[in-house]
Amino acid sequence: MENAQLISLSRQMALQRQMDVVANNMANINTSGFKAENILFEEYVMPVARNRDFQRLDQPLSYVQDWTTVHDLSAGAMVQTGNELDVALSGNGFFAIETPAGERWSKSGSFQINANGTLVDLNGNAVLGEGGPIQFGPEETGILIAADGSISTSQGPKGRLRLVEFADPQELTREGSNLFAGGTPVAATGTRTMQGFVERSNVSGVSEMAEMIRVTRAYESAASMTQRQDEMRRTAIQRLGEPNA
Amino acid sequence: MKALYIASTGMSAQERNVEVISNNIANMRTTGYKRQRAEFEDLLYQQISRAGSTTSDQGTMLPAGLEIGSGVRTVSAPRVMSQGTVNMTERELDVAVRGEGFFMVQLPDGRTGYTRDGSFERSADGMLVTSSGYALEGGINIPADARSVSISADGTVEAFVGNAPEPMQQGQILLARFANKSGLESLGDNLFIETPASGAPQIGVPNADGTGNLLQNYLEMANVNSVTEIADLIAAQRAYEMNSRVISGADEMMQSTTQLR
């Protein structure tokens, strides 16, 4: 009988995690370049006795286990900002960003130029070109970024943005600060850059709301199941404990 | 329940967003105002199981990790330094900058302020000052008996004095530009000052040195687009509402837990 309660407990714990994922997606609904996350569950079958000679065989019990989060890498809406340092990526590519901890990947293309003239992301990490960070001189005006990522200014060509793609983007892990880490990057072939645009978060408010309602209801039903199990046991104990039983 | 705290970070981020948008809308008619845009980033992730960790004795690996984010934060609200529309005012002391440069202004505390607001006035002693009364750097004096003033695209200020047929040169307006304009600090009063992030000003002559040129009788309007701002406001408000729904959803879950016995 306790098994039923433990199983619904495993379900409740998984649902709490799922709620955390929904909350994080919703919190980042306005974060540029954010990619929604989905959580996947797995059935965890309890091991049963191997010996099949018993009169009544062991019944397999399945618990639920949160197993993995997957990145929903579909494109977000492209919003025109008119800012020359806003770059959106159309395609599966990522920007390469140089952080103190090594190279990281990002989909968020709202860049700035720092005091030294280096192209940086919002945290001040250098955005990498094919030959390292991209440097602008004080006299340069009119920055143009072509569809293939090549940059030119009033002083001529400045190199190209380093865009990377991944054979299996699900290998990437998230680091916060709009950065992804890991994976095996290859030079992007099918990705185009769009200057003056920013890619919005791809979180869909409607489906996250629906997901949230589903999670809360499922949680409630698991909780009420636990309650009924408890009542059932209590009644059983009461009946069996009556002196004239 | 982490979801409660995660959703609360979302609500406070959207609150910031609305603050930035409402300041843009409030300054829709401010000369030379540059709009701001709130930028967000996701917070740290809790790695419950890492991608690539071994799942069996045979060396199979987890193809993707289990990671739970912890919300969002506002990272900055950089100014969008695009050119505002240039409107004709037919006032001879109104000057607009077309290009990158900023006018330099002497602040009362001795620092130099930078502004895109070119609605100048003459002070009592004939100096060219901003509408708040701060003198333009370089000290341009316009004689009391000047009939008219002309400011050329390269910043040369000339005045036709008395009955003289030839104009007299009164000085030159210089412009400053910055490696990172978005890094300037706003003082209010349409003024900016330099910061370590903006870099030092590079002072140049208008129409050369990449600072842009001047346009007399015109003023630069704010670069706020009301339609975009209202659309952003609606999006921010809805995002706020959805985050508050997540909080009440998480609360419902907690409630069903606490009612258990």
Side-chain angles (χ1 to χ4, degrees):
Chain A
M1 193 110 98
E2 280 80 6
N3 283 333
Q5 275 182 321
L6 291 174
I7 288 167
S8 66
L9 191 61
S10 80
R11 173 91 178 116
Q12 276 179 299
M13 285 169 69
L15 285 167
Q16 280 203 1
R17 284 244 168 98
Q18 188 166 19
M19 189 69 176
D20 293 345
V21 170
V22 169
N24 190 50
N25 286 343
M26 203 58 104
N28 283 292
I29 196 166
N30 268 343
T31 306
S32 42
F34 181 79
K35 297 292 166 199
E37 255 185 332
N38 292 318
I39 192 163
L40 295 184
F41 297 103
E42 196 181 46
E43 183 183 18
Y44 179 77
V45 183
M46 268 311 258
V48 292
R50 293 226 182 111
N51 195 329
R52 315 292 282 178
D53 297 337
F54 296 114
Q55 279 281 306
R56 293 168 64 205
L57 291 175
D58 258 7
Q59 295 300 308
L61 295 171
S62 355
Y63 290 75
V64 59
Q65 189 184 29
D66 41 1
W67 176 61
T68 183
T69 44
V70 291
H71 315 299
D72 169 8
L73 289 168
S74 62
M78 303 288 174
V79 177
Q80 191 168 16
T81 62
N83 208 357
E84 64 181 5
L85 293 177
D86 283 341
V87 192
L89 291 179
S90 99
N92 299 323
F94 289 78
F95 296 107
I97 308 284
E98 187 178 70
T99 72
E103 279 186 1
R104 296 290 182 267
W105 328 112
S106 176
K107 278 274 192 187
S108 160
S110 63
F111 299 137
Q112 305 278 322
I113 294 177
N114 72 6
N116 307 323
T118 316
L119 189 68
V120 292
D121 76 353
L122 290 169
N123 288 302
N125 298 317
V127 179
L128 288 171
E130 281 176 347
I134 294 156
Q135 200 74 33
F136 294 104
E139 258 69 69
E140 293 180 61
T141 53
I143 297 169
L144 278 177
I145 301 170
D148 65 344
S150 49
I151 304 173
S152 60
T153 68
S154 56
Q155 311 280 310
K158 299 296 292 179
R160 240 176 104 181
L161 285 169
R162 181 163 169 232
L163 304 177
V164 293
E165 283 174 2
F166 296 89
D168 178 15
Q170 298 300 339
E171 279 178 0
L172 298 173
T173 56
R174 289 170 192 243
E175 291 234 313
S177 308
N178 296 345
L179 298 175
F180 290 86
T184 22
V186 293
T189 50
T191 303
R192 294 190 322 120
T193 54
M194 291 156 79
Q195 188 183 18
F197 285 80
V198 148
E199 182 179 353
R200 299 288 297 270
S201 158
N202 72 347
V203 175
S204 145
V206 184
S207 50
E208 295 296 332
M209 267 338 348
E211 183 76 353
M212 190 199 86
I213 293 168
R214 207 181 60 74
V215 169
T216 46
R217 296 292 173 244
Y219 190 89
E220 278 165 20
S221 73
S224 90
M225 197 172 95
T226 309
Q227 184 126 20
R228 279 185 203 165
Q229 291 284 329
D230 183 52
E231 273 164 24
M232 209 162 96
R233 191 157 38 160
R234 195 153 32 122
T235 328
I237 291 168
Q238 265 174 5
R239 291 264 166 85
L240 293 172
E242 276 168 21
N244 49 3
Chain B
M1 283 287 283
K2 266 176 76 180
L4 277 175
Y5 301 104
I6 297 171
S8 72
T9 66
M11 283 178 83
S12 53
Q14 295 312 326
E15 215 172 300
R16 277 282 153 72
N17 200 2
V18 172
E19 283 164 17
V20 170
I21 294 167
S22 56
N23 191 47
N24 286 342
I25 293 175
N27 283 294
M28 233 169 90
R29 305 288 301 166
T30 306
T31 314
Y33 177 80
K34 299 292 171 200
R35 72 189 176 89
Q36 286 178 288
R37 193 179 74 211
E39 290 284 355
F40 306 103
E41 62 179 26
D42 47 356
L43 285 172
L44 282 178
Y45 284 79
Q46 185 189 0
Q47 304 281 347
I48 291 166
S49 61
R50 282 190 180 271
S53 44
T54 316
T55 51
S56 76
D57 295 343
Q58 281 75 41
T60 50
M61 284 194 310
L62 205 58
L66 175 62
E67 40 194 19
I68 310 276
S70 43
V72 63
R73 76 179 180 110
T74 322
V75 52
S76 61
R79 284 190 189 271
V80 179
M81 288 288 189
S82 62
Q83 177 82 44
T85 48
V86 170
N87 274 10
M88 186 154 165
T89 59
E90 294 186 13
R91 242 186 105 250
E92 63 181 8
L93 292 182
D94 281 347
V95 190
V97 183
R98 280 187 302 182
E100 302 244 310
F102 290 82
F103 295 110
M104 292 178 286
V105 169
Q106 274 171 351
L107 302 182
D109 59 4
R111 290 183 297 178
T112 304
Y114 302 91
T115 183
R116 293 281 293 189
D117 176 4
S119 55
F120 298 122
E121 310 277 347
R122 274 180 71 199
S123 67
D125 48 0
M127 301 299 285
L128 206 54
V129 295
T130 64
S131 37
S132 332
Y134 304 145
L136 209 61
E137 198 112 328
I140 293 156
N141 198 321
I142 292 166
D145 54 349
R147 279 180 287 140
S148 74
V149 178
S150 95
I151 300 167
S152 65
D154 66 354
T156 313
V157 182
E158 289 175 324
F160 289 86
V161 183
N163 295 322
E166 291 295 316
M168 273 172 59
Q169 189 167 339
Q170 303 296 324
Q172 190 168 31
I173 299 176
L174 297 180
L175 294 177
R177 58 184 291 246
F178 294 88
N180 175 20
K181 292 175 284 191
S182 311
L184 290 168
E185 181 186 328
S186 323
L187 280 189
D189 295 349
N190 292 353
L191 291 169
F192 297 101
I193 53 168
E194 75 171 276
T195 68
S198 69
Q202 292 132 27
I203 297 163
V205 176
N207 227 351
D209 305 328
T211 49
N213 54 25
L214 300 184
L215 199 59
Q216 192 186 9
N217 296 326
Y218 286 82
L219 277 182
E220 184 184 2
M221 298 290 113
N223 66 350
V224 178
N225 178 340
S226 54
V227 183
T228 329
E229 297 297 331
I230 297 294
D232 282 351
L233 181 68
I234 294 171
Q237 189 184 349
R238 294 297 175 226
Y240 186 86
E241 283 173 13
M242 284 193 262
N243 276 293
S244 78
R245 286 282 297 120
V246 172
I247 290 194
S248 58
D251 178 47
E252 266 175 50
M253 281 167 70
M254 289 234 294
Q255 196 184 9
S256 60
T257 306
T258 50
Q259 279 172 354
L260 279 182
R261 56 174 200 93

